[in-house]
Each structure stands twice: as C-alpha cells, then as structure tokens.
Amino acid sequence: MADFLISRLLYAAAVLLGVSVAVFFLIRIGGDPSALFLPPEAPVEEIERFRRLMGFDRPLAVQYFDFLGRALQGDFGMSLRYDQPAMKLVLERVPATLQLGAMALLMSLVISIPLAILAAAKHGSAIDRASLLASLLGQSFPAFWLAIMLILLFSETFRLLPPSGRGTWQQLIMPAIVLATYSTAIITRLLRSSMIEVLQSDYVRTARGKGVKESRIILSHALRNAAIPTLTVIGLQVGALLGGAVITEEVFAYPGVGRLAIQAIANRDFTVVQAFVVLMAALIVTINLLVDLSYGLLDPRLRKGK
Amino acid sequence: MSNQDLQTPPAGDTTQPVLSVRGLTTSFLVDGSWRPVVNNLSFDVMPGETLAIVGESGSGKSVTSLSIMRLLQKGSSRIEGEIRLGGRDLLALPDGEMRHVRGRGMAMVFQEPMTSLNPIFTIGEQLVEALTCHGEMGAEAARKEALRLMDKVRIPNARARFDEYPHQFSGGMRQRVMIAMALAAKPDLLIADEPTTALDVTIQGQILDLIKTLQAEEGMSVLFITHDMGVVAEIADRVVVMYRGEAVESGPTQDIFYDGKHPYTRALLSAVPRLGSMKEQALPKRFPVVDIATGKSTEPATVAGTVVRSSRPVLEVRNLVTRFRTRGGLLRRSEGAVHAVENVSFELFQGETLALVGESGCGKSTTGRSITRLVEPDRGKVMVDGVDMRSLGKRALRQTRRNIQMIFQDPFASLNPRMTVGAAIAEPFLEHRLGTRAEARDKVADLLQRVGLSPDVMGRYPHEFSGGQRQRICIARALTLDPKIIVADESVSALDVSIKAQVCNLLMDLQESLRLSYLFISHDMAVVERISHRVAVMHLGEIVEIGPRAAVFENPQHPYTRKLMAAVPVPDPSRRFISRSAEADELKSPVHPAGYEPPERIYREVGDGHFVQVE
Amino acid sequence: MRDFLKRYSSSSLAMVGLAIVLVAVFAAAFGPWLVPFDPNTQDILQRLKPPLWRGTDGMHLLGTDALGRDIFSRIIVGARVSILVGVSAVVISSIVGVTFGLIAGYEDKYAGRVLMMLTDIQLAIPFMVLALAVAAVVGPSLWNIIAILGLTNWVQYARVVRAECLVLREREFVQAAHMMGISTPHILTRHLLPNVMSSVIVISSLLVAKMIIFESSLSFLGLGVPPATPTWGTMIAEGRNYIGNAWWVATIPGVAIFVTVMGTNLVGDRLRDLLDPRLRQVES
Amino acid sequence: MTFSFKRSLMAAAVGVSAVTLIAGSGLAQDNSTVVVAQAVDAYTMDPAKHSNFPTANILFQIYDGLIAEGENGELVPALAESWSNPDELTWRFKLREGVTFHNGEPFNAEAVKLSFERALDPEFKAPYFSRISHIKAVEVVDEYTVDFKTEEPFPTMLLSLYEASFPALIVPPAYAKENDGASIAAHPVGTGPYKFVEWLKDERVVLEANPDYWGGKPAIDKVVFRPIAETRTRIAELTSGGADIIVDVPPEDIAALDGGDTKVSTIASDSLYFLAFDTTRDTPLKDKRVRQAINYAVDVDAIQAALLNGMGTRIALTLPTNAFAYDQAWKPYPYDPEKAKQLLAEAGYPEGFEIPFMSRKGRYMKDSEIIEATAGFLARVGIKANIQYLEPGVWAQVSERKGREGITFPGWAGRDPQLVWAPLLITGQYQSYFSNPELDELLKAGASIIDPEERKANYAKAAEIIKEEAPHLPMIQPPLIYAIDAKLNWTPRSDGIIDLRKAHF
C-alpha cells in the first residue's frame, strides 16, 4: 500500500513538473506584461527599464529554472498586479471556489443519483426517458447563457436571489446551479447506463435467482458496482467544475480562483497564473489519486497489498 | 414428433411432476418484431429425477431455463405457454410471489462462475443473503447455516474463506459456492445451466459428482442444461434434445444414446469424440460425418501416414523457459514470477501432429506463443527448420515466421471485423511482396477452395460467417504463406461438436495433402485422441509425460495424466454410476517468489519414445 | 448500411436530432445564399428592433441587433462558423488523440508512458484556463480558435483509443497479423484503427456539441472569432448587455446553440447506443 | 453551511437585505452605507503602485492630493491651500495646517517631499512614473511650504498633480516605509474622508467614515466597493438593492433604470473616442485626402444618436471640450459620403481599398459597437476595414513596437493639449503615428509656455494644422453613465473619479 502510494505520488510530482513547464512557457510565448502594466503614455525606455527590473529580459530557460527553484521552496513570486505573493493570493481565493464547487457537486449528486437509480430501475419507462431528456438538456446549455438567464429571471424579474458576490447562502444558489447543470447531466447519464448494465449482469441474475428483493438488488448489488465507473467521471468532473468556475465566477462576480485566473491571464500576471495552474493541477491530481484509492474501497478486486 | 410423447412420465410412475412445462414459447423483441427462440416446448421433471436438455449453441436451451425462472429481461422478452412448479402456474404469479418461488421452490446454477458472483461482496455475505432474503432466518443462524453449506459442497477451510471475496476463489470453488447458494433454501428443483462448461476437465468431474451426491442427499430434482453429450451420459435420467428452439427428441438416456431416432440426435452423437474409441489405432482417424437432413453417415477414413522422421525435425524445442514477472511496489520491483513454461523440450517432424494437452494455466498456450515469439521466452532454444528463432532480429523474424503460423481459439476474435475475408487472406501475401494483386486473388481463391469455401465469399466480412466457416478462413489465411508448421492453439475448442468434427477433418485433410506439421494445443482429450500422432501432457508449466498417442492414452504413466484421463466424461450411459471423488483439490499454483529455480527434472523412458517425468 | 439506418430511425428522438443536425448543416452549407439580408450590413437607425419587425428594407424575422443587422441572417450564417469550428476542432482533436492513443495502446513501454503522462498533464490543467491563456497569446482568429479547441480536447480520444488498443492488441487477429509478419504501421492503420473508428465517431459526434459550446464560451470571454464572421457565441456576448431591453438579441443565438447542441447530442447518443454501447463507461 | 458572516457588518447587511428580498419587500437599504459596483477590483492599496482607474476610485476616498477638482471641473485647493510660481522652474505650494493621517502621523512639507521622493525612486517601479517624472526635486521651504522644481518650464504642473492623482496622493512617510511598503499596500492610511476597514480581494473593499476629516465628517458612514465585471450583473445588483452606485450603464438601460427606486446620473467624460490613422507605413492613409475622406464618410452624429442615445459630446478635434485651449468655434468634418468618395477618387482609390482596423474590445463603453458601426460607414464608400480585436496584452505589445497598423481606436484622456496632442501627434512619440514638422514645433513650444493666452494662441495654430491634416477622426467625448439608488445624492465627475466626499442620502 505504502509502495503504491509512493509511486503514485512520484508520478503525480512528475505530472506537476510537466504542468509547470507547460504553463510557464505557454504564457510567456506572448511576451511579458511590462507594456501592459505601465500606463499607455509610458515611453519605450520606461518599459525597458521596468522589464530589466522585473528580470523579464533574461533567457526563458533561466527564468524557468529560477521559477522552479523558488517554487520548490514554496515561493511562486510576487503578483505584478497586486504586488503580493502570488500563491497567497490564489490560496486566499481557494476556499470560495471550493465552497462553490462542493455545493455544485452536492447538488449534482443529490439530483443525479436518485434520478439515475429511478431511471435504471424503470428502464424504458417514461421516467427513464424523461431523465435522458433532462440530462440531454443539461448538457446543451452554454453555462454563461444559463447564468445570464438566471440573473434576468431570479434577480431582475422576481428579485428573489442576489445576483452576485459571496457571503450568504442565497448568493451561492445561482452560481452553484449553473456549475452543477452539466455535471448533473453527465453523472445522471453515466450512472444510469452503468446501472442498466450492472442490472443485466450475471451476478444480478444470480441475486434474482436467489429471490432477493428488487429494491435490495438495486441499492445494494447494483449501485456499488455501478458507482465504480461513475466515480472516475465524478473525479474528472471535479476538474471540469474547477474549469467551469472560471466563467461562472466571472458572471456572478464570485470571488474565487477562477475569476482571479481570468484577470491574471488578461493582465499577463504570470506569477498568479503559474501559481493558479500548479495549484489546480495539484488539486486535480490529488482528487484523481483519491478516486483511485477509493476504488479499493468499492471494489475488493482492486485492493492493494493483500 | 408429437408433444404427447414428450410428456409421458416413466411408465408406472403416478407421482406428480415437480416441474411441468407445456407449450412454452419464448420470443425476443428484435428490431421491433417478436422473434421466437423457443417454440412450443413441453416436458416434465419428476421428483428426484435428473432431466438433461441438450443442444448446440443457439438451440434455445438456456432461454428455456431462464424462462422457467422468469429471469429474462422484461419488455424485450415474452413467455407464453404454461409452466407449473409443484402445481403452481408460475407465469400467472405476481412478481413478489415469484421472488419467493425463486430460491425456495427452485434454484439455479449458472454457466459462468467467474461473473455470477457479485465481486464486491464476500462469499459469506452472498450465502447469508440467500438464506435471509426470504425472511425466515436471522443473521446469526444464517451464518452458521452458510458455513454448513460451504462444508456440504466441500469447500475446504470454510470458516477462513467465509470472509473472502469471489476473486480470491478459483472457478471450481466459485461454482461450489453457487451450488451452496442454490441449496440454501432447500429447493425442490435445481436448474443447472451449463454449470461445468467453463471449468477444467478435472474440476468438471468433481462438480458433476458433487451435484449427483447432493441430489441423492437432498432428494431434489435437477434440470441440467448442457451441450456435452459426455456430461449428459454421466448425469441424466432422461434427455430432451433441442434443435433450433424445438425439442426434436426425448426419452431415457439409454434410449437416446443407443437408439436415437432423430437425425440430429444421431449427428450429435456421431460427432462426439469417444475417448478410447481409438484403441489399437496407430494413425489419426477422421470423424464420421452425419447429414442432419438425411441422417446418413459417412464412414471415417484413417489419415495416411504422413510423418517423415528421417530428416531433421521441422521444429525443435530445447529447455524452453518463459516466466512472467509480477511486479509491484516502488520502482516496480520484481516480486515473483509465474513459471508459465519451465524447461520444456520436444521435437516435431514433418507431417506430424504433436498435441500439447493440459488444463488451463498449465502453460500449453504460452508454450505455443513462446515458440512463435508472440511472447518472448527467457531461455532455451527454438529451432524452426534449422533456424534459431530466438536469435532473430525483427526483420529476420518476420521472414522466418512464414514457416510457422498459428490458428487461434476464438474464430470470432481471429478475424479483423473491418476487413473482408479476401483482404485478410491476401494481406500476408501482399505484405511479403510475394506477387501482384491479381496473383494474390488467385491465391485467395485457391485457398478458400482448399478449406471448403467458395471463392465467391472473398468480398464478404467476417460477421457474415458462422464460427466454423470463420475457422476455415483462419486456416486459409494461415496457409497463405505456405508454412511448414501450424500451431493450432485450442483451434476447435470453441466450436459446436458437429462443426468441430468437420474442422478437425479439414486439418487432417490438409496434413495429408500439404505434409503440414501441427502443434495441436488442446484441453479436449477426445479430439486429441483422434488427431494426433504424439501427445505431450503439461502440468504447471512442465511436460510430465510425452510419447506416441496410443501409448499415452492406453498406458498413462504419470499420476497427473491418469487423473486427466479419468476425468474426461465419456458419452456412455453405462458408465454413469462410476463415481469419482467429489472432494476438491485445487490446482497448484505456478507462481513462485523471485529467484526461485525449480529442481532438475529427470525423464524415464517407459516405451518407445514414451517419456515420463520422474517425481 | 440500410440496416443501420433502419435501426437508427427506430428512435424518434434520434430522428429529431438528425433533423436538427441536417438543418444546421444545410444552413452552414448554403446559408449565404439563403439569407434575406447581408449579415454584416448595418443600419443603426433600425437597431434593436424586435422579431417580425417590418423595416424599410423588408421583414426582419428575428429582429435586429445593436447595429441594426438582421439577426435571422446572422444566425443562419453563424451556423456555418459554429459548425466549421466544431467539426474542424474535432478533426484536429481526433487526429492528435487517436494517434496518441494508438501509439500508447500498442507500445505501452516508453512512448506509451510518455504519451499517457502528457494526457495526465493536459487533464491537470483546467481546460478553460488553458484555452484562455493560449487565445490571449496567439490572438483570436478563426483558425487559432479551432487550433486551440482542437489541441486542448484530444485527451478523451487518447484515453479511449488507448484502452481499446490495449484490448485489441491481445485479440487474436492482431496476434495473427504479427504471425504473418505484418509491419507495425500496417497493424496500427489496418487492424487497430478501423476497429476503434466506431468509438472515434461516437466521441466525435458528442465532442462537436461540446466544441460549439466551448467556442461560444471563449467568445463570451472576449476571445472568440473576430467580427465580420458572425458566430453564435459572439452574438450572445455582444447581445448580453441588451438583454434587459432587447431580449432577442442574446436569447435567439442562445437558443440556436442550445438546439444545435442538443441535436448533435441526440445523434451522438444514438450512434453510441448503436455502434459502441461500452463507451458509456468512458464519458467525461 | 460552515462559513460565517462575522467580521463585517456589511456582510450582515447584505445577508439581511438578501433575506428581506426573499420576503419580497423590494429595496431595503441601510441608509448609512453606500455600495459602489465597478467592473474590477482594486489592484493595490498603495496609490503609487498602480495605473488603474477603479483602484483610484477607492483610494481617492482614503487619500487626498494637494489639489482637487471643484464642482464645475475647476482645480481647487485640497491639501495645498494655495500655490504660486516664484520662477518658471518652481511651483510653490502652501500646505493646509492641522491635518493628520488616519494613523496620527502629521501632514506637513516633509510628508509631501517624502511622498514624491518615494514615487520618483526608480527602484520603486511606479507605473505612473511618467506623469510625475518632470519633477526633478521637491524641497521643504518650511513646515507647511514646499517647492516643486522642474528642469524646464512646466505649465501643466497643476493638472499633473491633480489628474495624475495616483502617485501624487500624499502618504504618511513613516508608515509608507514600514515592511518595505507592504503595510501600506495592504492597509492604506491617508488623510482622506474614509478610513480603510478591510479588503477581501475580488469581493469587496470596505471603508468607514473618518470623523476627523479636515473637510468635515462625511455623511455616509460606510462605503463598500464591489467588483462586478458583468454589466448585467451590476444592473441586477442595483435593481435588487445590493448596490447603490453602479458604473458603465449601457445607454439602452437608462430608460428602465431612471425612475422608481433607481435613477441615472450622467456626465460627459474627459476621455476621447477617435480614430487614429497610421501614416508611418505605406498605405492609402499616408494621403491626406484619404484621411479627410474618412472624416467625411463616417456619420458620427448618427453613431452618437443611435449607440449612445445621443449622449456624450461631439468633438471637433481630438481634445475634450472642457480642456485648455478648446475652442467651441471648431467644427468637425460634416457627414458627406459623396465628398468622401470624391476625395478617394482624387487620391487614386475610386474603388476604395482594404485596411486593417485594430482595437481592443470592452475597454471603453460601446467600443466594439462604435468600431463596427464605423466600419459599416466606411464600407459604404468602398473602404473595407478588417477589424481585429486585440487582447489587452497583445495590444500593449503591438503598441510597444509601434505596430499599430491602419486605423486604430486607441482612446485617450487629458484636459490639456500637452497631455493629448503632444504624445499622440509629435513625430516619433511612442503613441504617435503621424509626423508634421510644423506641428511638432508648435506642440513642443506649448509644453513650456507658462502664459495661458500665449499658449492658447499657440495651440489654435496647431489646431488648424490638425484639422487640415486629419491625422485622426475625432468622434465623441463619451458620457459617463451611472445608475444610483434614487435616494442617494451624489454627482459624478467628468474625470471618471468617484468622489463620495459630499454624497448623502
């Protein structure tokens, strides 16, 4: 078990290193932010001076290893825009995004799991078809459009929900709905089809042959088995949720990392983009690792070290 | 044949049947229309009786069992007719009551022990569930009863294995669990749907004996579904023969075997290889072929002497070793190795068939793959027509492999579904630049004819052919490069008996005309007896006995060989009361810790070219 | 083929999807010759007019936008860009992903492991952020957007194709090909590729839908296709500020995206059910 | 729900208002709090460390400059009570006495000197260095008198100190040095009407009234700045009671927002919408007639009427109408497409030509619509303008290598020709894509004439050349449109700075 964990962690570290290389060079292809940071009338000499002061005039490889050396010690550099440590800025925003993501994931699961179970149990029925159609609808909305429509409806027209910001549970509802729509659709569909497949499996036939109650077959025999492929997708959805948060946070002016990232990209605030991407990558890699580990809990065949 | 004949119980027996099926018709919804797969089937199962339904794939025998259990998918299936269990009309029962009939009234053992147990629950939990799900037993009592059942089906060390998961059990052990589960609620009727098909022959024997023993102990009736006439002969009191969804014949087992009336029954029986039928016969012999329409049968012909022992062998294997390292942990250290092939040596002459026999996991397939270098062996020497296979580089290997070709087990997986059969057969010809496209066409046409197919099928795709036809196509493809040796890896095992006989005959025809050498890998002893000149028995990666076919079959020396021979079910109802031990002995494992070297083996020559490993 | 069509058409929802897709493809192909107005001709005196507005120059079926351009014409012509972006990006993704997947699935020693690590790296970077960063750097031209979308969405192909190859490679027809001395490139292209194509088609049909949404999202964030080529995404982005007083400007292109994406999804779903039901397992 | 509302009363207020919203009671507003919603969050709390207007809006409530803008746009004393020019190279300021910073540090000449020396230090990397770079030295004359020294006469010193308010805001010198400047960047301390409470990045900046403000305690107790990028969301926030002042309202929404619980407040801004033509490369734009033709071809009045609801101020030349030397008698080119076609034909382009049209998008209100409408007008005279929207970073890089091609929509602001024409038109200037030696001389002279009348005359001559040469298509001084809580009393300023000193309910 420990061996397995260590090798997975080493791999994760390698992936993170790859991510850091990718993001570092990618955002620098377009040049540095000196001209953007200074006001429009700043003369060229001024920009050059600033560039030298920031060290942007050095070869990229040198800058990368400088970055890597510092990053390994936890120093991701100073944000150009905020003049504060980049990682600190990102970490400050993480709780907000996690809260939003968790709320969205919770919504997804609360809706999709019972819906999928019902649809699979009544495969071919009206409920089943309705669930398919609903998840299809959920997959077909552009998130930002849904967000605008919700604001128009619930904030402007009915004045039921505050359209932006963070702090109260009401402010969490609309962004979470927008964020949850796609994952709910995906998870419902996937769990439904896995359930249907499992319900046709030999061991479910065995259980029926024993005379086990249908409800027990669905909730006990089928659900846990169907959860295994679904879990992978839920793991991937976490990444998608974090990605989707970028747009959602922007529309609802929600102070999370996604919004920080968008602005950092627009402002060429390298250090913040780097800190953000590396942190997100670490989060995604960790979640996938946890998903891998949890397979063992669900599926005894995958338990290691026995 | 009228239904009346089928329903009549044995004369003088006035007891009520346990199961009575009348006019059963089961249809499936296919692309919007109902297509019947079982048609107007009627039969009875009497108390304490074993009724076998026998038929080849697609005959509707499994659908029959699932119809009786009402386990078919609702919505896409339709069951008509009457099914009475102990007098109750099952088709009229509401779902809730039917649930209680399943398990208590009748129980079922399925074909696939590997997938029929829920992988995420322990064996104990699944047994306990079978005991408690009808609400008659508490958890503690159920646990005790489950352990008793595990003992009853002879699962060794039941208490310790109670909390293990299915994947920690072998196939045979899982099937014992399935049987224990079926026995849980003491059903009147046990339906066993091909319960031994997926198992090795020695395990099959154990399971059959277990079912017989338990039937005697519990006094239940058994509805046994199988395609194997050998198994039928061993277990059934009466037989129903099914063909394309209909019962074509039924009657007591003896009558069916010795006095089968329907041509299909006779075709089925004539195609069944009978172990021991080749006594005093030195050369391979073709199978008799029965025409199902007319019932006429052709006399089998012996294969002419093809073996050329004068020149050097076309294939020489010396001390071949193939191990699969199991890796784990940090830096993927080697933790141990599966000793799949251990110190295997033999030779194969032109025109000769050498059979490699043994049970699953014994290393016979890996031996075939190591010789062709589909798997890289660790040690040893493989000489193909004087060329050392193991010394070859990639390019030279491609050339040398023209001499040695393979035919695989699964005819459905052996052909690229996206390639016409013509293209598949021509591909090696063109790839090796042996001629123009026109020449390739001619070659393909010629080969198709040789394997008994029309050259017109060239443009068709594999899914348009039956399993037997596909295997013929595979044989044609293997012949494209004019090989000297063909490694036939379980090439006929997946085929229905009647088809199996034809393909075997084809192989023998080709050997006669093309002087081919076969390395015939099979677990099917009866086929091996017919087709081979020499036989090598493998066990745990090693050859334990090798010699001329007649010598090995008629005078087996190694204990393992004897056990193997004894386990083969023979289609001879007169032998059915010979019982083997129902005790379980599981196969030993060929997995050893890293660094393990097996002891030196010594072989003793017990007859002319007949060698036995000294224990 | 006929049999396939028959099975396809047995689902009425799938037929609705097909009809939607055909209409969209038709609009994309012949749009410029169908529209009542030039999609870029402005008349700022007739701006923000509601649907069915009878203007000086004729009927504006779906109204006009902030610059007085005919929305119906722009929607029709926008279909061309949306579908071009969706299809081209999918073609790029599939080529990259299938190549990676084939190689990684066939040769899982070194090249395969490196490629799989690349997919993990790609997966670990939130897509939107990656796309934004690249779009910000290379500038938002039509082909840049296509390239960005194409090069950031290949992972699913690589994973599925690899998984299938790992299985196929052990299948007997591939082993037989080895035995017959078929070269590796031929095994990859003749034996493995055709057998993963049904998965590729299924993923592609579902990914086209996603790409249309992605394109509109990039447009929304101001990094979409430049003007003069109307896209549904930019139409929403430009119209969103008028939604309070001219709802149609942003709502209609939103509905267009929604309907098209749903149609594509319906078709993709049906294809998956028919061609490759196992693929449910790998959806992400 | 594990998160808490604690710490800030504001959060509670928002929560309460949200709850009451659910109850359907409509607007429920705490009368002592003003919430301002603008597009972006503050960059920093250090006034000299940014070049960003929304940040300035926040810091302007905390800090004072020496000079401020009066109600009618005139320059009035703030921390400086009066000023004079002892010589051409010296500006002398008499400072207000008895003012202290929020942390108790005294405001005096030393504070002024050190504030400027801090921002002028190259190592400090002040983004707006260029605005104050003319100041060569700040000298303490006595406790409440300072001298600003320049190397050349510097007539726009007052504008520079006021308008460039960012690095010219006065910081407490001792505190500004704390933690190498990190303290002031996180927790600002000034002399202004509001004291800093907290800054939750991308969420809100909270300020509270400074009871000891030298100009008197402000009427509003608490000010909150919230960053909301989406225009729609800002409007929704105002209408649902979550904000009291929102910026950048689209003209189309004025009708809906002006009335009931909300009202609209607009003013013509100092900024300028105009097209600039690249005459440095060999394109048709090198020809004066082509540039004039473009001036004739675009119906700016129609654009203003349609896209800006007629708001804003039409400009005749690229200079705000309230700028120094702007002459109301100046007239723009009239809309005359026939004349434009004729000029194009004369210049040798009877069939028109293709030309790039570069801009950013979303940088200014309605910029993309105006650009596309303009391209529409150009298309009518045969000029095919290929619009390219550049992402801000790319725009900056393109600008840095003087790479703006064809027609551009750069946007500019400044209330003096020296601040507008000099950088945009003098040959070789970073922002200039035009060259005319005669104009160069006039503009350079204007930079150092102290006498206002003489300066005006000088710029009048320059204006003639600019009109004739048409290096730009001057368009509009766009309006600043705010929507506010109907009960709030607050007036916007033309420079776009939000000043809450006099706001009250």
Side-chain angles (χ1 to χ4, degrees), chain A residues 190-191 193-204 207 216-232 295 297-302, chain B residues 115-121 126 165-166, chain C residues 281:
Chain A
L190 186 80
L191 186 61
S193 51
S194 313
M195 282 287 289
I196 289 172
E197 201 169 297
V198 170
L199 284 173
Q200 287 166 354
S201 71
D202 288 351
Y203 53 81
V204 165
R216 184 174 152 81
I217 285 176
I218 287 166
L219 295 176
S220 176
H221 284 265
L223 189 57
R224 256 180 75 188
N225 278 292
I228 294 165
T230 312
L231 199 66
T232 315
Y295 288 150
L297 292 180
L298 284 170
D299 189 342
R301 286 168 295 185
L302 300 172
Chain B
T115 54
S116 291
L117 288 167
N118 195 327
I120 60 168
F121 293 120
Q126 300 191 52
Y165 288 94
Chain C
Q281 303 279 347

Side-chain angles (χ1 to χ4, degrees), chain D residues 42-50 52-64 166 169 184 188 190 192-194 196 205 207 225 501:
Chain D
Y43 275 36
T44 173
M45 288 294 144
D46 186 333
K49 270 282 191 187
H50 71 97
N52 170 270
F53 253 85
T55 308
N57 281 339
I58 298 169
L59 294 181
F60 191 62
Q61 320 304 327
I62 301 171
Y63 294 97
D64 287 307
F166 313 168
L169 293 172
I184 196 165
Y194 290 93
F196 176 82
V205 177
L207 311 176
F225 282 88
R501 283 166 173 77

Side-chain angles (χ1 to χ4, degrees), chain A residues 11 14-15 18-19 22 26-27 29-30 132-133 136-137 139-142 144-145 148-149 152 182 186 189-190 193-194 197 229 232-233 236-237 242-243 246-247 250-251 261-262 265 268 276-277 280-281 284-285, chain C residues 13 113 116-117 120-121 123-130 132-134 136-137 159 206 210 213 216-217 220-221 233 236 240 243-244 250-251 254-255 257-258 261-262 265-266 269 272 277-278 280-284:
Chain A
Y11 182 79
V15 167
V19 168
L26 217 58
I27 54 172
I29 303 170
L132 264 184
L133 199 65
L136 202 72
L137 294 181
Q139 271 180 298
S140 308
F141 281 117
F144 59 92
W145 191 65
I148 293 173
M149 293 293 155
L152 197 63
Y182 188 75
I186 291 288
R189 288 166 56 116
L190 186 80
S193 51
S194 313
E197 201 169 297
T232 315
V233 170
L236 290 174
Q237 278 308 305
L242 291 173
V246 171
I247 284 183
E250 185 74 2
V251 179
I262 281 202
I265 289 169
R268 293 267 195 289
F276 168 78
V277 172
M280 283 303 110
I284 290 170
V285 167
Chain C
L13 265 185
R113 285 200 203 139
M116 282 341 276
M117 185 176 270
D120 278 328
I121 290 171
L123 269 183
I125 305 177
F127 156 74
M128 228 353 135
V129 172
L130 185 65
L132 279 178
V134 180
V137 166
R159 293 188 131 205
L206 295 172
K210 273 196 198 168
I213 290 191
S216 69
S217 303
F220 175 79
L221 292 171
I236 299 181
R240 70 190 197 259
I243 208 155
T251 309
V255 170
I257 291 180
F258 173 67
V261 167
M262 198 170 74
N265 275 331
L266 281 168
D269 264 14
R272 166 167 53 194
R278 284 169 301 119
R280 291 185 194 119
Q281 303 279 347
V282 291
E283 180 164 23
S284 67

Side-chain angles (χ1 to χ4, degrees), chain B residues 406-415 421 425 448 451-453 462 465-479 486-496 499-500 502-504 506-507 510 520, chain C residues 172 176:
Chain B
M406 275 186 96
I407 309 168
F408 298 90
Q409 171 170 12
D410 184 352
F412 291 87
S414 294
L415 290 170
V421 304
I425 299 172
L448 282 171
V451 299
L453 292 169
F465 295 90
S466 69
Q469 286 172 320
R470 287 194 210 200
Q471 206 57 302
R472 286 170 191 270
I473 293 164
C474 291
I475 292 169
R477 181 179 58 184
L479 294 176
I486 286 185
V487 178
D489 187 357
E490 301 276 13
S491 302
V492 296
S493 308
L495 305 175
D496 276 330
I499 311 293
K500 190 187 286 188
Q502 292 167 18
V503 173
C504 285
L506 171 65
L507 287 173
L510 292 169
F520 194 85
Chain C
E172 287 153 350

Side-chain angles (χ1 to χ4, degrees), chain A residues 30 32 37 39-42 46 49 51 81-82 84 89 92-93 99 156 159-160 164-165 167-168 251 255 259, chain D residues 3 5 15 22 42-43 51 122 127-129 131 201-202 226-228 232-233 237 239 392 397 400 430-431:
Chain A
D32 66 65
F37 185 68
E41 67 263 42
E46 177 88 26
R49 184 182 66 97
R51 180 165 293 145
R81 171 180 155 172
Y82 287 111
Q84 287 187 23
L89 287 167
E92 276 173 8
R93 308 288 209 293
Q99 188 187 24
E156 291 202 61
R159 302 198 174 182
L160 282 174
S164 70
T168 65
V251 179
R259 196 152 170 239
Chain D
F3 59 100
F5 310 132
I22 299 288
Y43 275 36
S51 61
Y128 252 136
F129 180 76
R131 284 262 167 112
K201 292 193 191 70
D202 273 337
R226 290 187 53 196
I228 301 173
R232 217 54 240 165
T233 314
E237 202 60 83
T239 56
Q397 279 148 23
E400 190 191 339
Y430 174 40
Q431 296 278 346

